[in-house]
Amino acid sequence: MKVVKFGGSSLANGEQFDKVINIVTSDDDRKVIVTSAPGKRFSGDIKVTDLLIKYANAVLENKDYQDTYNKIVDRYQEISDYYELPADTINKIKTKLSDLAKADYKDDDHLMATFKAHGEFLNAITLADVLNHKGIPAKFLDPKDVGFLVGGEPNNADVLPETYANLAKVKFGEEKIVFPGFFGYSKDGDIFTFSRGGSDITGAILSRGFNADLYENFTDVDAIYVANNHIVDNPEAIKKMSYREMRELSYAGFSVFQDEAIIPAVEGQVPVNVKNTNNPQKPGTMIVPSQFLFNPANPVTGIASSDRFSALYLHRYLLNKEVGFTLKLLQIFYKYGISYEHMPSGIDDLTVIFDKSKLDPETIKNLCNDVKKTLNPDYLEWIDDYAIIMVVGEGLAHTVDTVSKIIDSLTEKNIAIDMINQGASRISIMIGTQVKDSKDAVKDIYDTFFN
């Protein structure tokens, strides 16, 4: 049995619905369909989720929301008209949308979560009605009816363990199951939404809970590529990768979908296949749990870069002899609620790398002052011009010359390396460069291993 998730662009209008229907009916094993909210139909279009957020804000601010309400209805009306559905479908949608503005909520966060979730909720109702209208047996499954329980915050939910026990009780018939992504219900019966990659998370949870053989994640790209195609021209597609490779690459900028979103599938030992709704015959990229190891043809699976980093560099003679130096430094980070990303060090030097998107100038200033007072370094420097490149591959552990090839390729192009680090897992090599050099570094490393 397969769980199949479709992104917002895959369910944006009637023409895209046709592609989805052809995909799910071409394979009897595709039993569970997870929907996203309708996405953009064209450049400059507005996603339904964004319209729902606008609708929610208008209600919160006691402003007129009729125009926004009408725009949301029009998106579903367009799909309904495309298939000439009976009026019952659009009437259900209008009622549920109207009821959102009239209901009572515990607070603003609960209101926002409930509004946001209805993009997926209403699209699942629409798809189920379309399938049945076309003579394809389908059943809309409300997360509440199967005990899809979540905790956490209204707009940042976490799945609860009992959800998996509840899903295991679901009985399958001949019909396709249509399940809305992005949200679940708290034990109090309130709608809570997941954060980034919400529908991907739902699909992964269902894959584990239903003990699926495969989780197919349909998006708008043919595969995950070795490198960003905005940096490298026509990069090779990755046919198969391990989940831990995916994690390492996502950290430095891979963005097909949120890597943490598929954790439930990986925990359930369910492989994930990333495919293209608009080109479904392509094999896509298979992401497998680490124990499904394979012999890669190339030691490098992917190369990614990100310039979202900053670094704190400290120099102090005999630093390695001072007991408690790192502890004092970590206590300063704890004081400001800061987490660090990496901490490469030498006998007299220490570099701490941060995600600068989580810092502000005032915090950086106070942090540096505290470090000076507490640790009295001989030299301290805050470096904003910092990029990290991740070279990742299960095959790295079985080759001895990968690092030398990378260094040679960069030095030949006069690209300075500020830091290089290989973790104990030996599946990734981290390289620090100046931001201006990061794209050229990715190109050079790609050419070294793939051209």
Side-chain angles (χ1 to χ4, degrees), residues 8 37-41 45-52 72 75:
K40 292 184 178 182
R41 297 160 293 183
D45 197 15
I46 302 176
K47 298 177 181 179
V48 165
T49 301
D50 292 332
L51 289 171
L52 285 162
I72 298 169
R75 292 297 302 271

Side-chain angles (χ1 to χ4, degrees), residues 210-225:
F210 293 147
N211 195 26
D213 299 306
L214 181 66
Y215 172 29
E216 293 182 310
N217 192 300
F218 279 86
T219 179
D220 55 4
V221 295
D222 286 344
I224 300 173
Y225 294 95

Side-chain angles (χ1 to χ4, degrees), residues 120-405:
E120 282 74 10
F121 190 90
L122 299 179
N123 223 19
I125 290 174
T126 303
L127 179 57
D129 284 358
V130 167
L131 289 169
N132 284 311
H133 184 68
K134 291 175 67 67
I136 303 163
K139 178 183 178 182
F140 166 75
L141 206 56
D142 190 327
K144 178 179 282 187
D145 295 336
V146 297
F148 195 97
L149 298 175
V150 296
E153 300 298 325
N155 294 282
N156 189 20
D158 300 307
V159 66
L160 296 180
E162 48 263 55
T163 291
Y164 296 112
N166 295 336
L167 291 174
K169 299 173 185 176
V170 174
K171 304 297 182 184
F172 290 91
E174 294 301 316
E175 72 272 11
K176 304 286 186 184
I177 299 296
V178 185
F179 200 98
F182 191 35
F183 73 95
Y185 287 86
S186 71
K187 289 187 175 181
D188 292 335
D190 298 313
I191 288 178
F192 281 19
T193 58
F194 295 114
S195 55
R196 292 176 57 197
S199 293
D200 292 329
I201 296 172
T202 300
I205 293 168
L206 295 180
S207 298
R208 176 182 170 184
F210 293 147
N211 195 26
D213 299 306
L214 181 66
Y215 172 29
E216 293 182 310
N217 192 300
F218 279 86
T219 179
D220 55 4
V221 295
D222 286 344
I224 300 173
Y225 294 95
V226 171
N228 188 330
N229 60 5
H230 296 295
I231 298 176
V232 174
D233 291 333
N234 300 313
E236 288 191 22
I238 300 172
K239 295 178 181 178
K240 183 184 284 189
M241 66 193 307
S242 69
Y243 174 68
R244 60 181 188 167
E245 286 177 323
M246 179 70 187
R247 286 276 290 159
E248 295 278 359
L249 289 166
S250 292
Y251 174 76
F254 263 48
S255 57
V256 173
F257 54 86
Q258 173 72 349
D259 61 303
E260 294 179 6
I262 61 172
I263 287 177
V266 175
E267 290 174 338
Q269 311 303 311
V270 182
V272 181
N273 195 187
V274 179
K275 294 173 70 81
N276 190 349
T277 304
N278 303 309
N279 206 1
Q281 70 275 13
K282 291 282 188 179
T285 297
M286 190 73 75
I287 305 169
V288 298
S290 296
Q291 58 268 33
F292 290 87
L293 291 180
F294 47 94
N295 294 319
N298 195 310
V300 175
T301 297
I303 309 156
S305 65
S306 175
D307 58 4
R308 72 177 197 275
F309 299 100
S310 292
L312 175 66
Y313 170 68
L314 300 172
H315 175 81
R316 179 168 162 176
Y317 288 115
L318 302 178
L319 182 152
N320 65 315
K321 300 284 188 180
E322 183 173 338
V323 177
F325 185 93
T326 306
L327 174 61
K328 293 175 184 177
L329 186 61
L330 294 176
Q331 286 172 335
I332 295 171
F333 298 163
Y334 182 78
K335 172 184 174 181
Y336 291 101
I338 298 170
S339 61
Y340 72 93
E341 304 293 319
H342 309 283
M343 194 183 291
S345 63
I347 58 171
D348 296 323
D349 304 271
L350 183 69
T351 302
V352 187
I353 301 169
F354 302 91
D355 182 343
K356 65 183 176 185
S357 66
K358 299 176 182 177
L359 299 171
D360 58 76
E362 186 66 22
T363 301
I364 294 171
K365 178 182 176 182
N366 293 335
L367 171 68
C368 291
N369 286 337
D370 276 15
V371 171
K372 288 177 182 177
K373 293 176 184 176
T374 305
L375 299 175
N376 194 29
D378 296 322
Y379 179 77
L380 179 148
E381 181 183 4
W382 183 266
I383 307 168
D384 268 325
D385 184 13
Y386 210 92
I388 281 182
I389 297 153
M390 297 294 294
V391 181
V392 177
E394 293 283 354
L396 294 180
H398 308 293
T399 55
V400 295
D401 61 347
T402 306
V403 174
S404 63
K405 285 182 178 180

